Amino acid sequence: MDGTLLILVLLLVVCGLIFLYSTSAYNGRVKFHDPAYYFKKQLFATSLGMMGMYLVSCMDYHILTRMAPFLYVVSMGLSLAVLLFGDEYNGSKRWLSIGPLSFQPSEFAKVAVILLLTYVITNSEKRQDSLLHMAGTMALLLPIVGLVGTNNLSTAIIILGIGVILIFVSNPKYLPFVGIGGVGVLFIGIFLSMASYRLERIAIWRNPEKYEKGFQTIQGLYAIGSGGIFGKGLGSSLQKLGFVPEAQNDMIFSIICEETGLIGACLLILVFALLIWRLMVIATHARDLCGALIAAGIMGHMAIQVILNIAVVTNTIPNTGITLPFVSYGGTSVLFLMGEMGLALSVSRTRSP
């Protein structure tokens, strides 16, 4: 088993819990009269995720790959259930409740897509460099992208990105991806223009001072700027005291910048970069194409989500509501992320020398 990957995951989990407690203590005290409210829920989900990671790492990843079509159908059913009778929170219908528990099916969809594309590509007898084959493979993702993208554009973008990365890894040629990139930009442009609130997000991104909804972005930038080089110290953020709404979620990186400064933010980015590098190493040394695609898909998921979150917080791209892996509050997210890490560890156990 890849010890370096395991250490990096544990480091991110511990740092994530520390940052989460520091960021969420004020909101927990105000809303639930318990400063550790968010921390305890995240700790419970992380504990389950650790057990899940261990169990998945002990499994043969080929077994899960063979179950991919079934898992994909289940993910579509859960995503459809969200549209029909999901729970709405902060204007977004992304949660599904089963008794006292609630979870986001979109997180499960990411894992299901990685396994499905791995299954399709490894079992395909057609040429991997055929444009028709690539288009057909990407078309498999359109149903889940349509279901998820209705209320969760960021996850839809991540799913499409995972698809492109896996096809790229399995394809010996580079030129076709220029055309795929052009079609992707066109598709995203059409998708954005289909809803007025998406166009409004672009306007807010360009000039957040002019819009009331730009308040979160502006306050996040204030937090980043006020942190300076070394930060104000852990727990000493002012912006988390109600200025940055729901600071423990998508905007947690801005509070990390305020409390730990540029140095702390760069160190966190370095840990993520090392994790992504390690996943690339596992993909490179995988025993077979199936293992290589699984590791590459997980690597792509991590890279896209980290880049998008940091880009949103720094207002480099329009706000898409995306979490920072292992750090932002979200039990479903950390649970399935740990499951993905277990898959990567399973691949590393059987890699070639």
Side-chain angles (χ1 to χ4, degrees), residues 2-84:
D2 195 298
T4 305
L5 177 67
L6 183 60
I7 290 171
L8 289 169
V9 171
L10 294 177
L11 180 61
L12 276 173
V13 166
V14 172
C15 290
L17 288 170
I18 293 171
F19 288 136
L20 178 69
Y21 179 74
S22 174
T23 304
S24 65
Y26 173 80
N27 281 337
R29 187 183 301 112
V30 170
K31 293 183 177 180
F32 305 101
H33 308 289
D34 181 5
Y37 175 81
Y38 294 102
F39 173 79
K40 287 187 287 190
K41 294 190 70 174
Q42 188 81 344
L43 181 62
F44 175 70
T46 302
S47 302
L48 291 179
M50 292 288 288
M51 290 188 287
M53 181 178 71
Y54 172 74
L55 293 174
V56 173
S57 69
C58 295
M59 295 176 63
D60 183 352
Y61 57 89
H62 296 94
I63 297 175
L64 291 173
T65 305
R66 287 194 288 270
M67 295 172 59
F70 170 74
L71 296 175
Y72 183 67
V73 171
V74 171
S75 71
M76 285 198 296
L78 292 173
S79 299
L80 180 61
V82 170
L83 293 180
L84 297 178

Side-chain angles (χ1 to χ4, degrees), residues 71-72 74-75 78 104-113 332 336:
L71 296 175
Y72 183 67
V74 171
S75 71
L78 292 173
Q104 284 186 277
S106 59
E107 298 297 332
F108 175 59
K110 298 172 188 175
V111 183
V113 163
T332 309
F336 283 103

Side-chain angles (χ1 to χ4, degrees), residues 40-265:
K40 287 187 287 190
K41 294 190 70 174
Q42 188 81 344
L43 181 62
F44 175 70
T46 302
S47 302
L48 291 179
M50 292 288 288
M51 290 188 287
M53 181 178 71
Y54 172 74
L55 293 174
V56 173
S57 69
C58 295
M59 295 176 63
D60 183 352
Y61 57 89
H62 296 94
I63 297 175
L64 291 173
T65 305
R66 287 194 288 270
M67 295 172 59
F70 170 74
L71 296 175
Y72 183 67
V73 171
V74 171
S75 71
M76 285 198 296
L78 292 173
S79 299
L80 180 61
V82 170
L83 293 180
L84 297 178
F85 39 83
D87 298 329
E88 189 170 326
Y89 183 70
N90 285 343
S92 298
K93 187 183 286 188
R94 300 178 182 179
W95 286 263
L96 196 63
S97 294
I98 300 178
L101 301 176
S102 63
F103 68 102
Q104 284 186 277
S106 59
E107 298 297 332
F108 175 59
K110 298 172 188 175
V111 183
V113 163
I114 293 172
L115 292 173
L116 177 75
L117 291 183
T118 299
Y119 174 84
V120 170
I121 293 172
T122 53
N123 288 281
S124 175
E125 297 179 356
K126 298 180 181 179
R127 289 177 53 192
Q128 301 295 331
D129 58 349
S130 166
L131 282 174
L132 186 61
H133 178 264
M134 287 191 290
T137 304
M138 287 298 294
L140 292 172
L141 304 184
L142 294 182
I144 194 68
V145 168
L147 289 170
V148 172
T150 305
N151 290 310
N152 197 340
L153 177 61
S154 57
T155 300
I157 293 173
I158 291 173
I159 290 173
L160 286 173
I162 290 170
V164 171
I165 287 172
L166 287 179
I167 293 175
F168 179 80
V169 169
S170 65
N171 196 306
K173 296 182 179 180
Y174 300 100
L175 189 59
F177 290 92
V178 177
I180 291 176
V183 173
V185 171
L186 179 63
F187 175 79
I188 291 173
I190 294 173
F191 191 75
L192 290 174
S193 63
M194 290 174 62
S196 58
Y197 76 91
R198 298 190 186 112
L199 295 176
E200 183 185 28
R201 285 186 178 183
I202 296 176
I204 295 170
W205 165 62
R206 294 179 60 187
N207 197 349
E209 296 89 352
K210 290 181 62 177
Y211 298 88
E212 183 181 349
K213 292 182 179 179
F215 177 81
Q216 184 184 47
T217 298
I218 293 172
Q219 295 300 322
L221 293 175
Y222 286 159
I224 294 171
S226 63
I229 301 296
F230 300 103
K232 295 179 176 179
L234 200 62
S236 302
S237 166
L238 294 178
Q239 294 301 112
K240 70 183 180 185
L241 305 179
F243 295 101
V244 177
E246 301 290 339
Q248 70 276 359
N249 292 331
D250 307 339
M251 301 295 289
I252 194 170
F253 185 73
S254 64
I255 307 301
I256 293 172
C257 290
E258 184 181 7
E259 294 189 344
T260 64
L262 179 64
I263 300 297

